[in-house]
Amino acid sequence: MAPLITRRTEFFQVTLQDGATLDGWMIRPRTFDSTRTYPLLMYVYGEPAGQTVLDSWGGRQLWHRMLADQGYVVASVDNRGTPAPKGRAWRKVVYGRIGALSSREQADAVRALVRSRPYLDSTRVAIWGWSGGGSSTLQALFRYPRVYQVGMSVAPVPDERLYDTIYQERYMGLPQENAANYDSNSAINQAEGLRGRLLVVHGSGDDNVHFQGTQRLLNRLIALGKPVDFMEYPNRSHCICEEQGTRLHLYSLLTRYLLEHLPAGPRP
């Protein structure tokens, strides 16, 4: 892999206006020029089950580096509520309202980054994620349409009521006891905010994040008259990895969509 990894990932911290300090990483293009501006692609998870900002090798590293070499700055930050070793208050703050705080902190982090780094183009920002990251992508695009121009949401949970109890009730409480937050923190109920380009991808055989949620989201966007691009992978599970050629097809789709709707490369 050495010829493909010619520069280190930059780890950084960004402090939000409310004082929260988030950890992040960033990959710059191979031919990076700090006097020019680049589009920014944010990779997000944002939920209590996992972190993205770790000093470890992940399966999407090569794809992110390839995108960086196309002319994107690729970055990720962990908002509060993710399982970073930052104490009880950090973890517990999102209890009962997954989605609202995390999307606000992700958007605030983007604003802080483009203010402090002149080479980031605030008019060319995309976000993508898978599973909880797909949910976070929907929340970001719907709640903060002035921050993001493009979103790619893979296998999301658009409706908090349509996920398994061992996860959702652990972090949201019981639906009958927290009904208002189940509604207000479901991305499907924020869909009227969509302004940018949205790609939704889901496997129809997903036995973890149920396909029904994405179908309900699509019907909601149709009712609102909102344009959306959608790709179903027939009978694929949550990993969207079964059958020959599936992973290559998926990442080729994401790459094409990004290149088409958020053109790569620096500008003066």
Side-chain angles (χ1 to χ4, degrees):
M1 297 298 173
L4 303 175
I5 306 171
T6 59
R7 64 232 177 272
R8 290 181 178 273
T9 300
E10 174 194 350
F11 288 92
F12 63 87
Q13 290 187 322
V14 57
T15 301
L16 308 184
Q17 290 183 339
D18 64 1
T21 298
L22 311 186
D23 298 323
W25 58 251
M26 180 178 291
I27 303 172
R28 304 182 194 183
R30 189 186 302 261
T31 56
F32 177 73
D33 180 351
S34 63
T35 66
R36 309 186 77 184
T37 62
Y38 292 82
L40 174 63
L41 172 63
M42 297 297 298
Y43 171 54
V44 64
Y45 184 76
E47 292 203 350
Q51 293 172 257
T52 57
V53 183
L54 297 166
D55 189 6
S56 63
W57 180 259
R60 300 182 179 107
Q61 281 273 347
L62 288 179
W63 186 63
H64 284 148
R65 288 178 177 274
M66 181 276 292
L67 291 176
D69 286 341
Q70 296 291 317
Y72 297 97
V73 172
V74 184
S76 187
V77 296
D78 277 331
N79 50 261
R80 284 182 290 175
T82 53
K86 292 177 179 283
R88 184 178 188 275
W90 172 280
R91 288 279 277 146
K92 294 276 189 175
V93 70
V94 296
Y95 180 77
R97 52 195 183 103
I98 294 176
L101 177 65
S102 58
S103 58
R104 189 190 79 200
E105 292 192 341
Q106 290 285 330
D108 286 347
V110 171
R111 294 188 185 108
L113 285 172
V114 298
R115 281 197 305 267
S116 62
R117 300 178 183 236
Y119 55 80
L120 296 177
D121 188 343
S122 65
T123 67
R124 291 187 292 162
V125 180
I127 185 169
W128 95 279
W130 196 308
S131 190
S135 307
S136 294
T137 296
L138 297 177
Q139 297 276 8
L141 221 60
F142 296 167
R143 292 175 183 268
Y144 300 96
R146 297 184 183 277
V147 175
Y148 307 93
Q149 288 73 53
V150 176
M152 302 186 298
S153 172
V154 182
V157 182
D159 188 335
E160 297 291 335
R161 299 176 188 274
L162 293 176
Y163 194 32
D164 62 66
T165 54
I166 197 170
Y167 185 93
Q168 225 56 27
E169 293 186 4
R170 177 187 296 161
Y171 301 122
M172 288 290 292
L174 299 177
Q176 60 269 32
E177 296 176 3
N178 193 23
N181 279 328
Y182 265 84
D183 290 337
S184 64
N185 287 277
S186 291
I188 195 171
N189 294 322
Q190 306 294 329
E192 64 274 6
L194 177 63
R195 295 185 188 178
R197 298 300 301 247
L198 171 62
L199 171 66
V200 179
V201 179
H202 214 134
S204 64
D206 194 328
D207 58 352
N208 178 28
V209 176
H210 306 302
F211 189 57
Q212 180 187 1
T214 285
Q215 291 177 313
R216 289 193 61 191
L217 172 67
L218 293 173
N219 277 332
R220 172 79 171 140
L221 291 170
I222 291 166
L224 291 168
K226 298 288 187 179
V228 59
D229 298 298
F230 173 60
M231 178 66 189
E232 173 191 340
Y233 282 91
N235 206 33
R236 294 346 187 250
S237 71
H238 193 54
C239 71
I240 312 182
C241 58
E242 298 84 1
E243 306 295 338
Q244 182 176 352
T246 298
R247 272 299 175 102
L248 177 60
H249 191 279
L250 170 59
Y251 279 99
S252 297
L253 167 65
L254 297 175
T255 303
R256 288 196 311 272
Y257 196 83
L258 189 64
L259 288 169
E260 180 178 355
H261 298 296
L262 197 81
R267 292 178 178 172

